[in-house]
Amino acid sequence: MAPLPSIFKKAALHVLILTSLYVLALIALTNPWLQRHVIYVHKIHTTWWHDINKPEQFGFAKNQITPFNFSTPDGETIYAWHVMPLGLYAKHESEILQQPSGCTGDITKTKAFRLLKDDPDSRLIINFHGNAGTVAQGWRTDSYRTISDGSSSNIHILAIDYRGFGYSTGFPTEDGVITDGVAAVDWALQVAKVPSDRIVILGQSLGTAVTAGVVERFAKRGIDFAGVVLVAGFTSMPDLLTEYSIAGYIPLLSPLKSHPGLQKYLTSYVVDTWESAARLANVVRLSKKIRLFIIHAKDDHEIPWTQSEGLFAAAANATTDGGLDVTLFEKMKARSTIDMGEGAFISTWKASENKIIREEILAYGHHSRVLTYAPVALAALKAFGLDEGGVLPL
Ligand SMILES: *[C@@H]1O[C@H](CO)[C@@H](O)[C@H](O)[C@H]1NC(C)=O
Ligand SMILES: *[C@@H]1O[C@H](CO)[C@@H](O)[C@H](O)[C@H]1NC(C)=O
């Protein structure tokens, strides 16, 4: 056995190497191109071995999904999936089966599109996914089924891959990705002619930041939606980076917790800041009507659920003139919170019949799987007014 001092020397050397690597990584990340690759992870996906133009691979009925492209005003081509609800598919199966499969050049010619456009009761969820992968990655495909598959459901889904992701062209930036989201909503409003009160915008993880950015642009145009659902979100990118661990394991800036000054300095290098809390506050102020659902699982090891507390506080605060001090806010929130057991709870902030903000913290769900859990689908049903009706239950 080696004498103790040399073990200590070895350990010290390891610490020195790890620290140097960490510092070098942080320096490298001040490069915007590399930083965006780390934040968006758009090049990590499985289209090399799965052609996502064949959605049957992910368990969908043949032609239940129509892959198609649309363009953004700045010239990018965005790849999207139109997912039709299975119950509706069943009623038109033979006609749908006769149509060509794969990425369609003209979606307006498909039966699925006509069913979305011509039915005055059809509903549409526009889905903004998290970083990495494509519309077909991981729990995402399962989540489309949980959300839309009831036998009498007429809830369609539009899911997109942002620029630089999957088959979409370009390279992601905050402004670019929001432009893609806005273009998706414009497609729904202008091409599919679904009015905004039959549209819910749903985002998970990075997709919550996209949602906040997109909804803010529409609030500025005076357009409100049936509802907005944010799953596993965060208040801003700099805020998140001080707490976030990649895949739950590799910490970014949390090792520097004892040096807030240094953390702050390093976050000043973040190029895409995704200020969701501020954007949501703005949306709440500008909207005539808002149903905002903020959902997060307690056992999310990638983004701590307390980030959703921050989103709720910012949105609720914006329903008041001048804002509430933190103590008063906490008191009011406690009064409208119900305990769901095992640390789970629901808080409902009802500023008026037309402005309702709801935070639901779940005991289970992790970071991505939660998308497939009933509370997310239930939030969409409530936003569409397909629940027992009228007031949202506390
Ligand atoms: C959709 O866009 C991608 C990327 O530009 C392109 O490769 C593909 O051929 C397009 N598909 C159709 C049907 O136009
Ligand atoms: C609400 O906004 C005011 C004014 O910006 C701020 O002072 C206050 O701390 C905020 N309250 C909460 C609960 O965030």
Side-chain angles (χ1 to χ4, degrees), residues 161-318:
D161 281 333
Y162 319 115
R163 59 187 63 196
F165 286 69
Y167 297 146
S168 297
T169 62
F171 186 89
T173 62
E174 175 169 357
D175 202 52
V177 168
I178 293 174
T179 300
D180 302 340
V182 169
V185 177
D186 277 332
W187 179 90
L189 294 172
Q190 288 154 25
V191 181
K193 306 246 187 266
V194 182
S196 64
D197 61 359
R198 285 197 266 125
I199 295 177
V200 162
I201 315 282
L202 165 73
Q204 183 252 353
S205 196
L206 177 71
T208 62
V210 181
T211 302
V214 168
V215 171
E216 188 192 34
R217 297 254 185 111
F218 282 92
K220 285 177 180 163
R221 286 200 220 160
I223 296 177
D224 301 329
F225 299 96
V228 176
V229 183
L230 304 177
V231 184
F234 55 94
T235 52
S236 75
M237 190 55 80
D239 236 28
L240 172 63
L241 291 180
T242 60
E243 293 194 330
Y244 177 74
S245 295
I246 298 171
Y249 297 106
I250 308 165
L252 284 168
L253 297 178
S254 54
L256 302 175
K257 231 176 220 137
S258 50
H259 304 283
L262 185 56
Q263 272 187 339
K264 210 171 165 182
Y265 170 74
L266 286 169
T267 56
S268 71
Y269 279 97
V270 174
V271 281
D272 291 339
T273 54
W274 293 104
E275 298 287 349
S276 293
R279 282 183 173 142
L280 283 183
N282 213 10
V283 169
V284 169
R285 272 184 230 108
L286 292 170
S287 302
K288 278 181 281 309
K289 178 179 173 244
I290 184 153
R291 297 261 186 284
L292 174 61
F293 298 81
I294 298 166
I295 300 175
H296 214 129
K298 274 239 153 120
D299 59 2
D300 184 334
H301 300 301
E302 289 187 48
I303 298 184
W305 66 275
T306 47
Q307 288 279 329
S308 279
E309 295 271 275
L311 290 176
F312 180 79
N317 207 16

Side-chain angles (χ1 to χ4, degrees), residues 313-314 317-318 320 322-327 329-330:
N317 207 16
T320 63
L324 299 167
D325 75 68
V326 177
T327 335
F329 165 76
E330 292 295 347

